[in-house]
């Protein structure tokens, strides 16, 4: 049986409802609204009435601030909003865990929704405008007001992974059609490269999982395709830029890299190479692990100097935050934490710098297919601060830049610093027989396409296809990972570690070493019905892949259990330089490491740098007057105060 209850804030505490009502009146111009009640709806199954009554004042509500209802209050317009199926719902998950703690029994099923009860004169057009302002189709949908008979999903068993018969025989026209049909992030040259590899080396057609995995591996997000594109010609008109380019060429020759192709990556990393070459970068910590940038420092503890690793990392989540502001910004800081955490570093402080267009413009001025700037700005701030505050991370600098150039794509940057005693970090090359443990959250469809989605060009129709690409972060789960990695005994068992950012199992585990056999059937799932492709490429915000020696595996699993972390052995290191994945007892991926590491077909382009325009000449008074009225110098106090 499914039970339903509603909770809402008492008068004097209903700040969110009051703010939303004011926004609808001022931004949506719905003057007839006289009141708004915002309720949290809880549907619960696998629970008895006595336990439900016990949990009402302890789990579902706070008696001092909340009212509880068994039915909806009277209103002139009512609708409910829920997350899309498969999207992580922290409120529902937390309720289920707390009920289990109270009962000491099985965890119940919980589903939540937000219910909006508006009073006043609300027309059909007004209601449509309200719904459009609160329902982002990427993450949520309008929910039925009826009580369901059950909360259990009707899940069809997954289909076998298809072999893409005829792929190796496709001509250019066929490959172009294939690229469009499967909405791949790779280009036609990459697809030709794949076809030739399978025809020449594997002598077979690929599976769907292999193509999806390769597309993820070679996406701009994972392989920095744009930065590795070779610049065949560079034309520079600006004298200062030309002088810098000549300096770059001189240093490149001095470093013995004159024959290396010119790329943005070569330009970006040259300063580091030069500092190292001249002996001014002696404390740089280098390893085969792909974590955060790391340097060695000496830390005085109890009067003794100890060697520590100091890690720093920034994460950009421009695309996810553009299409789903709360989840995109939350997983921005979550991702920034994960990278140094995979290097066993504990994050101590964060910074947030964002870029937006003018959030004060009328909603009517919103670009077609985009969310309003006001919604992006406010919801992204809520997402980032929610995650950071839950995990307990101090955020110092919080700033937002306002410029018309950010109307097409928002900028969302989270940066963190971390540290760890050097003695707790063990870095070794994995050996055949070593175990790979998947640690942390479970796998679901939310997260499929995160890497490839942010590596594509997008159109007005993109929102219809991006629903699974942006996850909701689970800060308490990542907090458990931090606690486990601060345990010296656990940390010293880890030979190598990688976080489950973009690419999921295929990249997080796939990059740990050359030879791997992965058992996808062992990957913990949020729900049944996932096929092998989804298990292979679904990213997760709160998972780690670690390599341990066979003798350490059981001890590490026990230490993870003590932190209430799910940990499962899912792969074994092999002495064959191939990546293999099994699902339902069949091998659905079997690829040479050399092919995956090729990054696909080489990319070539040319670049032109024009002359910088001279600054506009104005009067000092006019410039000062314009500056004083600009968003550029407005107070950021309200933004900064969101962060603990």
């Amino acid at each position: 049986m499914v039970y339903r209850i509603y909770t809402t804030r008492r008068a004097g505490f209903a700040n969110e409802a009051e703010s939303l009502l004011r926004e609808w009146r001022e931004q949506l111009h719905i003057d007839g609204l006289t009141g708004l009640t915002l309720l949290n709806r809880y549907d619960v199954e696998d629970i008895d009435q006595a336990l439900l009554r016990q949990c009402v004042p302890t789990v579902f509500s706070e008696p001092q601030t909340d009212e509880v209802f068994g039915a909806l209050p009277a209103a002139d317009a009512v609708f409910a909003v829920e997350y899309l199926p498969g999207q992580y719902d922290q409120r529902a998950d937390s309720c289920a865990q707390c009920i289990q703690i109270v009962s000491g029994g099985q965890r119940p099923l919980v589903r939540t929704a937000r219910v909006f009860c508006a009073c006043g004169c609300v027309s059909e057009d007004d209601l449509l405008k309200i719904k459009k302002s609160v329902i982002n189709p990427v993450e949520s949908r309008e929910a039925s007001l009826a009580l369901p008979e059950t909360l259990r999903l009707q899940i069809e068993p997954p289909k076998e992974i298809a072999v893409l018969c005829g792929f190796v025989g496709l001509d250019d026209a066929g490959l172009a059609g294939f690229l469009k049909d499967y909405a791949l992030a790779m280009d036609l040259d990459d697809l030709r490269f794949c076809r030739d590899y399978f025809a020449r080396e594997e002598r077979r057609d690929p599976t769907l999982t292999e193509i999806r995995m390769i597309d993820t591996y070679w996406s701009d997000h994972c392989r920095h395709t744009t930065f590795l594109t070779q610049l065949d010609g560079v034309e520079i008109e600006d004298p200062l830029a030309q002088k810098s380019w000549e300096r770059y060429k001189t240093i490149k020759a001095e470093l013995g890299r004159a024959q290396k192709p010119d790329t943005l990556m070569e330009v970006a990393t040259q300063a580091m190479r030069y500092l190292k070459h001249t002996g001014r970068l002696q404390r740089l910590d280098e390893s085969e692990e792909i974590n955060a940038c790391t340097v060695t420092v000496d830390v005085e503890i109890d009067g003794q100097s100890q060697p520590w690793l100091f890690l720093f990392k920034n994460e950009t989540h421009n695309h996810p935050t553009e299409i789903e502001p709360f989840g995109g910004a939350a997983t921005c800081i979550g991702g920034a934490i994960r990278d140094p955490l995979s290097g066993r570093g504990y994050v101590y402080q964060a910074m947030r710098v964002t870029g937006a267009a003018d959030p004060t413009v009328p909603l009517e001025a919103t670009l077609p297919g985009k969310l309003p700037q006001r919604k992006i700005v406010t919801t992204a701030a809520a997402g980032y601060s929610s995650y950071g505050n839950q995990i307990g991370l101090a955020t110092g600098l919080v700033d937002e830049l306002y410029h018309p150039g950010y109307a097409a794509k928002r900028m969302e940057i989270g940066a963190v610093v971390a540290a760890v005693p050097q003695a707790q970090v063990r870095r070794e090359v994995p050996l055949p027989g070593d175990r790979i443990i998947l640690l942390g959250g479970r796998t679901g469809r939310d997260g499929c396409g995160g890497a490839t989605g942010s590596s594509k060009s997008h159109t007005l129709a993109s929102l219809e296809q991006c629903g699974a690409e942006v996850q909701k972060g689970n800060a308490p789960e990542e907090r458990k990972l931090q606690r486990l990695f601060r345990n010296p005994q656990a940390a010293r068992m880890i030979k190598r570690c990688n976080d489950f950012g973009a690419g999921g199992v295929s990249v997080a585990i796939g990059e740990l070493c050359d030879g791997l056999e992965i058992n996808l059937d062992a990957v913990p799932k949020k729900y049944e019905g996932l096929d092998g492709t989804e298990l292979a490429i679904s990213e997760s915000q709160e998972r780690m892949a670690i390599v341990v020696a066979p003798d350490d595996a059981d001890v590490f699993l026990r230490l993870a259990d003590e932190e209430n972390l799910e940990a499962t052995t899912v792969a074994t290191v092999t002495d064959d330089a191939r990546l293999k994945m099994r699902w339902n007892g069949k091998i659905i991926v079997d690829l040479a490491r050399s092919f995956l590491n090729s990054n696909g077909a080489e990319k070539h382009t040319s670049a032109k740098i024009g002359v910088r325009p001279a600054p506009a000449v104005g009067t000092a008074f006019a410039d000062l007057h314009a500056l004083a009225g600009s968003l550029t110098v407005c107070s950021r106090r309200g933004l900064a105060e969101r962060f603990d």
Side-chain angles (χ1 to χ4, degrees):
M1 181 176 178
V2 177
Y3 296 95
R4 171 172 288 179
I5 61 172
Y6 301 91
T7 68
T8 189
R9 291 293 190 183
R10 296 181 186 275
F13 297 96
N15 298 328
E16 184 180 0
E18 292 171 3
S19 175
L20 204 53
L21 177 62
R22 185 167 55 251
E23 182 178 316
W24 291 352
R25 285 171 174 165
E26 296 174 357
Q27 297 289 319
L28 302 182
H29 311 297
I30 305 175
D31 300 325
L33 280 172
T34 58
L36 172 66
T37 302
L38 183 58
L39 303 106
N40 291 316
R41 188 180 78 185
Y42 300 91
D43 292 342
V44 191
E45 192 172 10
D46 296 339
I47 188 174
D48 58 47
Q49 281 188 320
L51 179 58
L52 181 68
R53 284 194 298 268
Q54 184 182 358
C55 291
V56 165
T58 57
V59 175
F60 296 107
S61 67
E62 297 179 40
Q64 302 91 334
T65 60
D66 294 341
E67 292 185 83
V68 181
F69 302 93
L72 286 171
D76 296 302
V78 179
F79 68 97
V81 179
E82 64 183 359
Y83 286 134
L84 294 172
Q87 190 65 272
Y88 175 65
D89 183 348
Q90 185 173 11
R91 182 181 295 274
D93 183 42
S94 297
C95 281
Q97 291 185 55
C98 291
I99 293 170
Q100 185 181 29
I101 292 171
V102 172
S103 69
Q106 294 297 313
R107 186 173 299 184
L109 296 175
V110 181
R111 186 182 299 169
T112 72
R114 304 300 300 279
V115 183
F116 301 82
C117 299
C119 296
C121 183
V122 184
S123 68
E124 286 296 323
D125 288 342
D126 290 338
L127 191 57
L128 285 175
K129 285 196 292 184
I130 290 172
K131 289 180 179 180
K132 186 177 180 181
S133 73
V134 298
I135 300 175
N136 181 356
V138 169
E139 57 152 357
S140 57
R141 66 184 183 184
E142 186 171 357
S144 170
L145 297 177
L147 182 69
E149 293 183 2
T150 180
L151 301 182
R152 287 180 170 80
L153 300 175
Q154 301 299 316
I155 299 174
E156 296 183 6
K159 297 178 181 178
E160 292 294 317
I161 299 301
V163 174
L164 302 175
C165 298
F167 175 81
V168 296
L170 292 176
D171 58 14
D172 280 1
L175 290 175
F178 186 94
L179 198 68
K180 182 179 180 181
D181 291 343
Y182 288 91
L184 301 177
M186 67 173 84
D187 60 19
L188 191 58
D189 288 338
D190 289 328
L191 208 52
R192 286 195 199 99
F193 193 82
C194 282
R195 177 198 60 191
D196 295 345
Y197 164 77
F198 279 100
R200 182 179 62 254
E201 304 295 335
E202 301 295 337
R203 299 182 181 180
R204 62 175 175 85
D205 287 313
T207 66
L208 176 61
T209 307
E210 287 175 321
I211 289 295
R212 291 292 186 197
M213 195 195 79
I214 294 165
D215 195 42
T216 300
Y217 246 87
W218 294 350
S219 66
D220 207 342
H221 188 107
C222 293
R223 293 300 186 198
H224 305 296
T225 311
T226 298
F227 268 71
L228 293 172
T229 297
Q230 298 182 24
L231 302 174
D232 296 328
V234 179
E235 181 183 345
I236 301 175
E237 297 176 352
D238 188 282
L240 288 177
Q242 179 63 35
K243 186 176 181 181
S244 296
W245 183 255
E246 290 169 359
R247 173 66 170 154
Y248 155 77
K249 285 287 195 180
T250 301
I251 294 176
K252 188 179 176 186
E254 184 179 337
L255 295 174
R257 301 177 64 84
Q259 301 306 313
K260 294 280 185 181
D262 292 319
T263 65
L264 293 178
M265 187 69 78
E266 185 74 15
V267 173
T269 57
Q270 190 186 70
M272 178 273 297
R273 296 180 191 279
Y274 186 69
L275 289 172
K276 184 180 175 182
H277 173 71
T278 56
R280 287 180 282 175
L281 199 60
Q282 297 178 359
R283 287 185 172 271
L284 179 67
D285 179 74
E286 296 182 84
S287 75
E288 292 185 13
E289 279 192 328
I290 306 172
N291 306 117
C293 183
T294 309
V295 295
T296 59
V297 296
D298 295 322
V299 178
E300 186 175 313
I301 299 177
D302 297 330
Q304 293 186 337
S305 180
Q306 294 183 7
W308 279 54
L309 299 178
F310 180 69
L311 308 92
F312 48 99
K313 176 68 167 63
N314 76 278
E315 178 95 359
T316 58
H317 257 213
N318 304 341
H319 165 71
T321 309
E322 177 74 29
I323 66 172
E324 203 286 84
F326 190 98
T331 53
C332 176
I333 182 61
I337 294 170
R338 274 198 327 272
D339 283 312
L341 181 58
S342 65
R344 276 72 89 200
Y346 181 81
V347 172
Y348 288 91
Q349 192 172 21
M351 174 181 74
R352 180 178 186 249
V353 179
T354 51
D358 187 348
T360 67
V361 298
L363 294 181
E364 299 79 30
T366 303
L367 291 175
K370 295 284 186 179
L371 295 173
Q373 285 298 313
R374 181 184 179 90
K375 183 173 182 63
I376 295 175
V377 165
T378 56
T379 313
Y384 191 107
S385 60
S386 171
Y387 198 100
N389 293 341
Q390 286 186 77
I391 205 168
L393 180 60
T395 302
L397 176 66
V398 181
D399 198 7
E400 187 151 81
L401 312 175
Y402 299 103
H403 189 279
Y406 293 120
K409 180 62 71 71
R410 175 180 177 78
M411 178 177 73
E412 185 75 34
I413 297 175
V416 298
V417 292
V420 60
Q422 194 167 7
Q424 287 185 201
V425 181
R426 168 187 177 188
R427 293 196 182 110
E428 296 178 9
V429 176
L431 299 174
D434 282 348
R435 305 290 190 262
I436 306 225
I437 294 174
L438 192 161
L439 183 66
R442 293 189 165 207
T443 298
R445 290 191 178 91
D446 52 324
C448 290
T452 53
S454 59
S455 304
K456 299 175 187 174
S457 297
H458 288 270
T459 67
L460 294 180
S462 294
L463 283 180
E464 300 172 5
Q465 306 161 7
C466 297
E469 292 178 3
V470 185
Q471 292 182 287
K472 292 285 186 287
N474 184 351
E477 193 73 13
E478 187 163 45
R479 183 66 174 174
K480 295 181 205 173
L481 289 169
Q482 286 186 316
R483 286 174 55 88
L484 178 65
F485 279 30
R486 293 193 85 178
N487 180 339
Q489 183 184 4
R492 290 178 185 132
M493 291 181 187
I494 301 172
K495 287 186 171 184
R496 187 169 288 182
C497 181
N498 209 353
D499 72 271
F500 268 80
V505 167
S506 64
V507 176
I509 296 179
E511 289 183 337
L512 287 171
C513 56
D514 288 345
L516 288 165
E517 183 154 334
I518 302 170
N519 177 17
L520 293 175
D521 293 317
V523 174
K525 302 182 287 289
K526 292 180 179 177
Y527 34 77
E528 294 302 318
L530 299 176
D531 65 27
T533 303
E534 292 166 327
L535 291 169
I537 67 171
S538 176
E539 66 179 81
S540 171
Q541 295 304 318
E542 290 78 31
R543 286 187 292 175
M544 291 285 173
I546 63 165
V547 182
V548 297
D551 293 342
D552 290 334
D554 289 341
V555 178
F556 193 92
L557 293 174
R558 176 180 57 78
L559 293 173
D561 185 63
E562 290 176 0
E563 291 292 349
N564 196 27
L565 270 168
E566 195 163 13
T568 310
T569 302
V570 297
T572 304
V573 178
T574 67
D575 57 3
D576 185 14
R578 295 184 70 86
L579 174 59
K580 298 179 182 179
M581 295 188 188
R582 291 183 180 272
W583 180 68
N584 276 359
K586 297 180 180 178
I587 292 181
I588 60 172
V589 172
D590 188 357
L591 298 171
R593 175 63 54 181
S594 57
F595 168 68
L596 286 173
N597 289 348
S598 69
N599 295 343
E602 287 186 354
K603 303 293 185 286
H604 296 264
T605 191
S606 58
K608 180 178 180 179
I609 301 175
V611 178
R612 286 177 293 179
V617 179
T619 66
F621 178 80
D623 291 345
L624 187 61
H625 187 271
L627 182 63
S630 168
L631 284 173
T632 305
V633 297
C634 72
S635 171
R636 308 295 197 271
R637 179 177 175 179
L639 186 63
E641 286 180 348
R642 284 181 171 270
F643 299 84
D644 290 348

